[in-house]
Amino acid sequence: MVEQVDDVPEEVAEEVEEHARGLVHGGFSTFDEVLEDVLECFEDEGAVTPGHVRAVVERLWRERAAEQEGWPATTDVDRLLAVFEALDADGIVARPDFTCCQTCGVAEIGDEAGEAARGYVFFHRQDTESAAAGGGLFLAYGPLADSPDHAAAAAAVGREVVAALTA
């Protein structure tokens, strides 16, 4: 239940809570980054005050920290990040929570690649938020270099990613 703070309309308070929850539960942002992102997102909502946003983020942060106390030592996310590190070391540029959306991710992933990189895999912030809400995690992948048979090159990268995740 969203608590009524200040004079923030209930609908706006629910939107603030939902946005902040997605960032906190995503687990890739610091407290200050969540606070800044939520403030920026709702800066045009006159009724949303920094105090309201801070109170929401602090509460959600405490709740999530309490949940984490019951988690296993190694989580699914830990295993996924280890796979991403291995792929990255093996020539597949692998980035978690990379950019805001797939369009930006595809446009920017090449900037992350070294000379030996042959492909990429990433998930973006919207994917992170979806996964944290229980909606599964979607991965974007493909070749970095232009290829006469782009589909075959993309499939080859996809097979490498699947093999690494399966192992």
Side-chain angles (χ1 to χ4, degrees), residues 8-33:
V8 178
E10 184 175 345
E11 179 180 299
V12 175
E14 288 173 1
E15 290 175 18
V16 168
E17 172 115 5
E18 180 180 335
H19 185 68
R21 183 179 309 282
L23 295 170
V24 170
H25 284 212
F28 287 96
S29 300
T30 66
F31 177 88
D32 288 338
E33 289 168 341

Side-chain angles (χ1 to χ4, degrees), residues 20-29 64 77 97 123 125 128-129 131-133:
R21 183 179 309 282
L23 295 170
V24 170
H25 284 212
F28 287 96
S29 300
R64 191 60 165 179
V77 173
D97 199 53
F123 57 93
R125 178 174 283 178
T128 301
E129 291 174 7

Side-chain angles (χ1 to χ4, degrees), residues 85-109:
E85 282 183 36
L87 285 166
D88 201 58
D90 196 34
I92 303 289
V93 179
R95 298 293 183 267
D97 199 53
F98 182 68
T99 70
C100 59
C101 65
Q102 185 155 334
T103 300
C104 291
V106 170
E108 296 176 25
I109 196 71

Side-chain angles (χ1 to χ4, degrees), residues 3-103:
E3 61 185 81
Q4 196 67 27
V5 178
D6 300 325
D7 289 323
V8 178
E10 184 175 345
E11 179 180 299
V12 175
E14 288 173 1
E15 290 175 18
V16 168
E17 172 115 5
E18 180 180 335
H19 185 68
R21 183 179 309 282
L23 295 170
V24 170
H25 284 212
F28 287 96
S29 300
T30 66
F31 177 88
D32 288 338
E33 289 168 341
V34 172
L35 191 60
E36 182 179 331
D37 187 293
V38 177
L39 283 169
E40 184 177 299
C41 185
F42 291 93
E43 68 186 350
D44 293 336
E45 297 289 337
V48 177
T49 66
H52 171 77
V53 171
R54 178 172 284 283
V56 169
V57 172
E58 284 177 348
R59 179 177 47 79
L60 292 171
W61 199 269
R62 282 191 312 273
E63 290 171 2
R64 191 60 165 179
E67 290 172 18
Q68 290 173 350
E69 290 178 13
W71 290 2
T74 302
T75 65
D76 290 342
V77 173
D78 294 326
R79 288 189 288 278
L80 176 63
L81 295 178
V83 170
F84 267 45
E85 282 183 36
L87 285 166
D88 201 58
D90 196 34
I92 303 289
V93 179
R95 298 293 183 267
D97 199 53
F98 182 68
T99 70
C100 59
C101 65
Q102 185 155 334
T103 300

